[in-house]
Amino acid sequence: MDTVALTRSIKEKALEIGFDLVGISPVGPFPESLFFKEWLSEGFNGEMKYMERNSDRREDVRRVFPEARSVISCGLNYNTEYPYSINKVDKQRGWISRYAWGDDYHEVIKDRLSKLLGFIREVSPVEVKALIYVDTGPVLERVYGRYGGIGWIGKNTCLINQKIGSWIFIGEIITNLELNYDSPVPDRCGTCKRCIDACPTGALVKPYVLDSRLCISYLTIELKGKIPVELREKVGNNVFGCDICQDVCPWNRRAKSSRETSFLPRESLFNPELSSLSELTEEDFKKVFRKSPVKRAKRRGFIRNVLVAMGNSGNKRFIPHVKRLLKDADPLVRAHAVWALWKLEGKDALETIKGLLAKEHDPMVREEILNVMNQCL
Ligand code: SF4
């Protein structure tokens, strides 16, 4: 089998296995890879220090895999029929990012890429060396996606495909095989800047540049400690991730739904009821979010986010739930419960909060109590 035939059969197989998109690029280096170092030097990665550890290897995958010649990027649409967060959804309820409604995509994609690699090994005339990556390892997945012809990197920093929009999970097979490369996709954002204007925290500091430290996805998933007070109101009702910069994107207006049933929302994860989320114990959390991307936030981070959403709701119905969480075993939860109570009760919260100070020994919670007391005075 020659290179043209091998390339064609790999692409056909990828689609047969169930991927919606497939494209092949060289391994780089690409000009975008240099941007990554600049981005890190600005501190835009926040607490995601693991990105710094691998920065050289991210720049050029041949530092990890010297024989690498081609990257086969595969994309899977995860959109569903359900409305967008900017449409008619109940703001008194929470919002979990679209990508996290169903099963963890890492496993779904990895399984398919393993199948594809098995096929490549069967048909290749030469020995195949390969690595599979899904959101892991030192690769710049979106850059490969762009050079493999899957989509362009939009001003919202997401990979956008002209036909199916940006609700795409991607994964790659990096291989020693010489294959035919696709052409990079031109940027089709044009003069649009809807995502930049719509971001509540101004995290898209300029087109194509995201300051993670301001991004609601980072604040509700990656950040392990307190959500900065000045950003809490802007987090709105987002309890895990945020979809706003993709919801407003015109390329997602006619996005088709995925054929993949494992991405359909698990019961109660679409626009979920905040009070029931606030009642999740450690055990419940593990059970409800087993094999779900949401488990990454851990119960403490997730309940922290639920408290911020409750505080932002202005709905006094949540007060008993917030008061119960003032006694939670986790200081991160207690600290955010203090803030949420103040948001819901205003100065009426002062007596309850003052009463906590005498018994509270954790410095983080004490700091929160004192801040709120200052606001009340
Ligand atoms: Fe590009 Fe507009 Fe979509 Fe932002 S909203 S990614 S600027 S097309």
Side-chain angles (χ1 to χ4, degrees):
M1 197 183 273
D2 66 9
T3 307
V4 175
L6 181 60
T7 304
R8 194 177 49 233
S9 67
I10 291 173
K11 288 183 169 180
E12 283 169 1
K13 190 69 183 178
L15 299 176
E16 189 191 310
I17 286 171
F19 285 113
D20 296 290
L21 302 165
V22 55
I24 300 176
S25 68
V27 287
F30 305 108
E32 287 87 341
S33 319
L34 299 173
F35 163 78
F36 181 64
K37 274 200 167 166
E38 274 170 44
W39 183 81
L40 285 175
S41 70
E42 296 282 352
F44 287 155
N45 55 322
E47 284 184 5
M48 297 182 287
K49 299 294 173 205
Y50 60 90
M51 290 184 166
E52 292 165 31
R53 286 198 290 274
N54 290 327
S55 71
D56 282 343
R57 293 192 285 159
R58 276 170 193 263
E59 207 177 296
D60 189 340
V61 78
R62 283 170 295 191
R63 296 198 176 124
V64 189
F65 179 10
E67 301 106 307
R69 293 291 174 272
S70 307
V71 181
I72 306 162
S73 295
C74 295
L76 189 55
N77 173 14
Y78 67 87
N79 189 30
T80 54
E81 297 280 332
Y82 288 71
Y84 289 174
S85 66
I86 53 164
N87 294 342
K88 282 187 190 141
V89 296
D90 188 346
K91 298 284 179 198
Q92 298 284 305
R93 299 167 76 107
W95 188 260
I96 290 177
S97 187
R98 185 165 293 260
Y99 86 88
W101 291 348
D103 291 345
D104 197 328
Y105 72 95
H106 296 88
E107 296 308 317
V108 179
I109 304 238
K110 216 184 282 167
D111 283 354
R112 289 191 187 178
L113 289 175
S114 304
K115 265 191 208 151
L116 183 59
L117 181 55
F119 168 80
I120 297 170
R121 291 210 152 105
E122 265 171 38
V123 297
S124 169
V126 296
E127 190 201 353
V128 179
K129 292 186 183 166
L131 292 173
I132 286 179
Y133 283 121
V134 186
D135 192 27
T136 49
V139 290
L140 292 169
E141 302 192 290
R142 283 166 296 172
V143 177
Y144 289 139
R146 174 174 182 240
Y147 284 90
I150 281 189
W152 74 97
I153 302 171
K155 290 179 191 169
N156 62 2
T157 75
C158 298
L159 193 69
I160 309 174
N161 177 275
Q162 195 180 2
K163 291 208 179 100
I164 67 170
S166 67
W167 309 112
I168 318 168
F169 291 134
I170 44 174
E172 306 81 32
I173 296 175
I174 300 175
T175 171
N176 63 324
L177 294 178
E178 302 273 0
L179 298 169
N180 290 123
Y181 303 137
D182 289 280
S183 310
V185 177
D187 185 326
R188 294 189 168 98
C189 282
T191 54
C192 174
K193 56 183 190 64
R194 281 168 204 241
C195 50
I196 297 170
D197 295 341
C199 178
T201 54
L204 291 163
V205 288
K206 50 185 170 173
Y208 315 102
V209 183
L210 178 82
D211 183 346
S212 301
R213 296 167 300 185
L214 298 173
C215 175
I216 295 173
S217 285
Y218 168 82
L219 295 170
T220 57
I221 304 173
E222 301 297 333
L223 184 71
K224 302 301 169 221
K226 287 205 282 183
I227 296 180
V229 181
E230 64 281 10
L231 295 174
R232 288 183 200 164
E233 285 182 9
K234 294 174 179 163
V235 168
N237 65 334
N238 290 293
V239 295
F240 186 87
C242 169
D243 289 331
I244 295 170
C245 67
Q246 296 192 81
D247 283 347
V248 298
C249 179
W251 294 98
N252 282 336
R253 250 184 235 150
R254 283 184 295 276
K256 289 197 192 90
S257 292
S258 178
R259 292 166 288 169
E260 186 58 54
T261 50
S262 57
F263 300 146
L264 283 169
R266 290 183 182 185
E267 201 191 337
S268 69
L269 293 193
F270 171 75
N271 202 194
E273 167 56 40
L274 290 170
S275 45
S276 47
L277 295 182
S278 78
E279 283 166 10
L280 293 174
T281 61
E282 232 15 287
E283 213 171 277
D284 301 332
F285 182 82
K286 280 189 195 136
K287 217 190 296 163
V288 173
F289 296 117
R290 199 178 149 260
K291 290 193 174 171
S292 152
V294 179
K295 66 180 183 298
R296 185 168 176 83
K298 303 208 162 63
R299 186 238 175 211
R300 67 193 305 256
F302 189 70
I303 301 292
R304 168 199 64 185
N305 304 340
V306 170
L307 281 161
V308 170
M310 282 180 157
N312 287 333
S313 73
N315 190 335
K316 293 198 185 300
R317 180 170 69 82
F318 294 133
I319 290 173
H321 300 278
V322 172
K323 283 192 168 164
R324 193 177 40 76
L325 289 168
L326 288 172
K327 297 184 216 118
D328 195 86
D330 195 303
L332 185 69
V333 171
R334 294 202 298 280
H336 286 75
V338 168
W339 180 84
L341 189 68
W342 170 65
K343 286 289 291 172
L344 293 174
E345 286 195 328
K347 287 188 178 177
D348 292 347
L350 189 58
E351 282 313 303
T352 314
I353 287 170
K354 251 197 218 163
L356 296 172
L357 195 59
K359 291 176 258 160
E360 183 60 66
H361 299 295
D362 185 274
M364 174 173 53
V365 190
R366 287 182 69 82
E367 187 195 23
E368 196 73 31
I369 292 172
L370 293 169
N371 280 345
V372 165
M373 283 171 61
N374 271 340
Q375 300 276 355
C376 290
L377 294 173

